Amino acid sequence: MPSTLDETAKPLDHIAERGVECGRADAPALVLRDRTFNHEELRQRVAVLAGWLKGIVPEKGARVASWAAKGELTCLLPLAAARAGLVHVPINPLLKRAQAAHILADSGASLLIANAARLKSLEDGDLPASCGAMEENEALSTATTHDTPLGPSKAGPSELAAILYTSGSTGRPKGVVLSHANLWLGAVSVADYLKMAGDDVTLSVLPLSFDYGQNQLLSTWHVGGCIVPLDFLFPRDVMKACAKHQITTLAAVPPLWVQLTELEWTPEATVSMRRMTNSGGALTTELVSDLRRIFPDADLYPMYGLTEAFRSTFLDPALVDSHPTSMGKAIPFAEILVVNDAGEVAEPGEEGELVHCGPLVAQGYWQDPERTAKRFKPAPRQSRYGGTAVFSGDRVRRDEDGLLYFVGRRDAMIKSAGNRISPTEIEGAAIACDQVQEAVALGLPDERLGHAVHLVVRGTESEASHKDLVKRLKRELPSFMQPQTIHWRDAMPINPNGKIDRTALLRELSQ
């Protein structure tokens, strides 16, 4: 695969042309509830929508926000806005009006397109004076073939294409700024290492405002494949969709995988599956075993990423059984360095910070130079790419074979009685207990220890299960890692991206 930006990066909207270029003009590209677009129709619809957008928001680089469930608008707007010279700002439909109002104001959006219920939820002052609003169905019906279609753009690789806002679980959402090259190369990279093909059918269950979710659209269309968007209420809805549409590619985060493995899957729902991908948290050995049992013929791709650099690593499916806890190696177009506390590249086995270099690194945080300077810094001198790197804050180590292993987040490490404790170690030991499905280890202020370890677990609480868990933890972990308190829950709080909301748990336990 080409390794230089100039050889490969194209304007993002050119992905709308890829299905036709791949010879799949008549093949399905987007399966909606009420209709299906083939790739030729997808190409035409993006051109028309882009022409309509340019007519109502003529200022180049203006921000256009969407706040709606998965559908024609939210799937096509990332490409149409890019073609019109605009910057797309997708708002997670699970966010409430106060968070949406912050994103609109912070991004300086010129237009919000949302469904009627979300527009109605806005209060006075939520919509900035300079921002217009339009209902989703009105926008789609107004953008007709009477508008002048726009052909593929000539946007430069560094021009802005999107601002993706984080979920805001640690405060107000911050916008990660992405260029055409960031998103195009991300699509090329993922399609390559997942070995995707034109006959692949991807079930899109993750939020399209989430870089992991949006890339599913881009990488699938890049190879001429088909997307089936799904806003599900229950895990069983995912299984039914897999059977109905003969899904070949399914992506999820660990909390959803846990729920999916608790179902009795039918042969019709598993027979077509070729690959499963995971990010947003590590898979446990037990979860890997369950997925292997349900999908024996599918490849499993554990992955690691951060919105500031999209995706960083993946583990080759052939290594999942022999190295189940590894993050793998760098994806195409990414250079991953492990930098120790002295600022040097760490030796094999030495712990350090994961630093991501190369053309997938985002452009920083929108209008936030202070936070940008803390995370986006000059690449270490050993980098072959140079330029700007993103310092992840995640602690990792690399073994002699070049495989990476997650140790913990620098800002999540628990400091207790002078010891630096990785929550991941405690959580892994807890999940190995049969009575525990999910676990989160947190540090709460303690006068004597500085921070005391608290463990929150999802499982069936009983005197026997509690004793079994305590016994296992004492056997597996040193004394300074032992939880002071174990909190049992029937369910874990989930943030808008489907991950366990650690901040909500910390806030609850601190009260």
Side-chain angles (χ1 to χ4, degrees):
M1 176 177 290
S3 60
T4 62
L5 186 116
D6 290 340
E7 289 177 352
T8 312
K10 294 182 180 179
L12 176 64
D13 62 281
H14 285 222
I15 285 178
E17 314 295 312
R18 287 289 298 162
V20 176
E21 293 172 2
C22 293
R24 293 183 55 79
D26 296 329
L30 179 62
V31 178
L32 303 175
R33 290 183 179 180
D34 57 346
R35 68 164 297 179
T36 295
F37 289 94
N38 64 30
H39 281 279
E40 174 60 28
E41 292 167 333
L42 177 75
R43 184 188 69 81
Q44 293 176 2
R45 190 59 175 145
V46 167
V48 169
L49 192 57
W52 172 77
L53 279 171
K54 190 173 180 65
I56 60 174
V57 187
E59 179 190 354
K60 185 175 181 179
R63 276 72 63 203
V64 174
S66 58
W67 191 26
K70 295 191 187 84
E72 180 182 348
L73 177 82
T74 49
C75 288
L76 301 189
L77 199 55
L79 302 182
R83 180 164 296 188
L86 305 172
V87 178
H88 182 220
V89 183
I91 301 176
N92 192 320
L94 296 180
L95 297 185
K96 303 300 183 183
R97 50 149 290 274
Q99 294 165 305
H102 164 72
I103 291 173
L104 293 172
D106 187 72
S107 66
S110 296
L111 175 66
L112 167 66
I113 308 176
N115 67 9
R118 290 177 177 84
L119 289 177
K120 188 177 180 180
S121 74
L122 294 174
E123 298 180 0
D124 291 342
D126 286 347
L127 196 67
S130 59
C131 183
M134 183 173 289
E135 198 273 328
E136 175 185 15
N137 291 327
E138 179 187 356
L140 289 171
S141 61
T142 304
T144 67
T145 52
H146 297 295
D147 292 292
T148 303
L150 285 183
S153 75
K154 297 181 180 179
S158 62
E159 290 186 38
L160 303 188
I163 304 175
L164 301 187
Y165 278 79
T166 61
S167 64
S169 61
T170 58
R172 281 191 161 186
K174 58 182 182 288
V176 177
V177 181
L178 301 172
S179 68
H180 283 256
N182 291 149
L183 293 167
W184 175 272
L185 292 178
V188 175
S189 178
V190 172
D192 178 82
Y193 74 74
L194 292 185
K195 302 178 178 65
M196 298 186 73
D199 61 347
D200 272 312
V201 183
T202 299
L203 186 64
S204 173
V205 299
L206 300 169
L208 299 181
S209 56
F210 187 17
D211 59 330
Y212 187 13
Q214 185 169 116
N215 178 265
Q216 287 190 271
L217 299 179
L218 305 180
S219 57
T220 300
W221 284 336
H222 183 268
V223 298
C226 179
I227 284 285
V228 181
L230 179 69
D231 286 312
F232 65 94
L233 292 176
F234 305 103
R236 188 168 297 277
D237 297 335
V238 176
M239 183 177 72
K240 290 179 179 178
C242 287
K244 179 179 179 180
H245 300 286
Q246 289 297 279
I247 297 300
T248 67
T249 307
L250 181 61
V253 291
L256 178 55
W257 283 127
V258 170
Q259 295 179 64
L260 293 177
T261 57
E262 292 171 350
L263 301 175
E264 290 294 330
W265 283 72
T266 63
E268 294 78 12
T270 63
V271 66
S272 59
M273 195 67 66
R274 297 174 183 170
R275 67 188 65 80
M276 299 167 290
T277 71
N278 175 77
S279 192
L283 292 171
T284 65
T285 303
E286 181 181 3
L287 197 49
V288 168
S289 177
D290 287 341
L291 290 171
R292 285 265 195 258
R293 171 180 52 81
I294 297 169
F295 303 98
D297 299 321
D299 288 331
L300 179 58
Y301 287 84
M303 307 185 302
Y304 162 90
L306 65 163
T307 306
E308 291 85 352
F310 164 61
R311 187 77 46 74
S312 295
T313 71
F314 80 100
L315 182 64
D316 189 310
L319 299 177
V320 172
D321 291 329
S322 57
H323 299 78
T325 61
S326 174
M327 299 162 58
K329 297 183 179 182
I331 69 171
F333 300 118
E335 178 188 28
I336 305 302
L337 301 178
V338 181
V339 178
N340 63 22
D341 293 338
E344 299 295 327
V345 173
E347 296 294 329
E350 182 184 5
E351 180 185 319
E353 181 175 6
L354 184 147
V355 178
H356 183 128
C357 313
L360 298 180
V361 172
Q363 311 305 296
Y365 298 120
W366 177 254
Q367 296 186 330
D368 196 337
E370 183 176 345
R371 282 202 286 189
T372 296
K374 290 180 180 179
R375 183 63 70 91
F376 296 85
K377 305 174 185 179
R381 58 181 174 79
Q382 297 90 343
S383 170
R384 69 178 186 273
Y385 279 106
T388 299
V390 59
F391 286 66
S392 69
D394 286 339
R395 309 290 291 182
V396 300
R397 61 179 176 83
R398 194 191 304 267
D399 69 13
E400 294 286 352
D401 297 322
L403 293 175
L404 290 156
Y405 292 83
F406 184 79
V407 176
R409 275 203 61 79
R410 173 176 288 173
D411 54 9
M413 298 295 277
I414 302 170
K415 299 182 179 67
S416 181
N419 297 292
R420 292 176 69 252
I421 302 170
S422 168
T424 307
E425 266 192 273
I426 302 173
E427 292 160 4
I431 292 172
C433 187
D434 292 339
Q435 292 84 3
V436 175
Q437 283 76 52
E438 295 174 302
V440 173
L442 302 166
L444 269 64
D446 182 274
E447 290 185 4
R448 183 173 59 87
L449 300 172
H451 283 84
V453 176
H454 284 242
L455 180 64
V456 185
V457 298
R458 180 173 75 87
T460 304
E461 182 181 12
S462 66
E463 184 176 350
S465 61
H466 186 88
K467 286 182 177 179
D468 285 347
L469 177 56
V470 171
K471 183 178 179 180
R472 175 176 288 274
L473 294 177
K474 286 184 176 179
R475 184 174 69 245
E476 299 292 334
L477 300 174
S479 58
F480 66 84
M481 286 190 181
Q482 297 300 320
Q484 184 181 83
T485 306
I486 298 175
H487 308 267
W488 291 81
R489 295 286 187 274
D490 293 328
M492 293 286 198
I494 301 297
N495 72 17
N497 285 339
K499 303 176 187 178
I500 294 176
D501 195 333
R502 305 175 73 94
T503 303
L505 285 172
L506 186 60
R507 186 166 52 242
E508 175 191 337
L509 296 181
S510 299
Q511 292 177 350

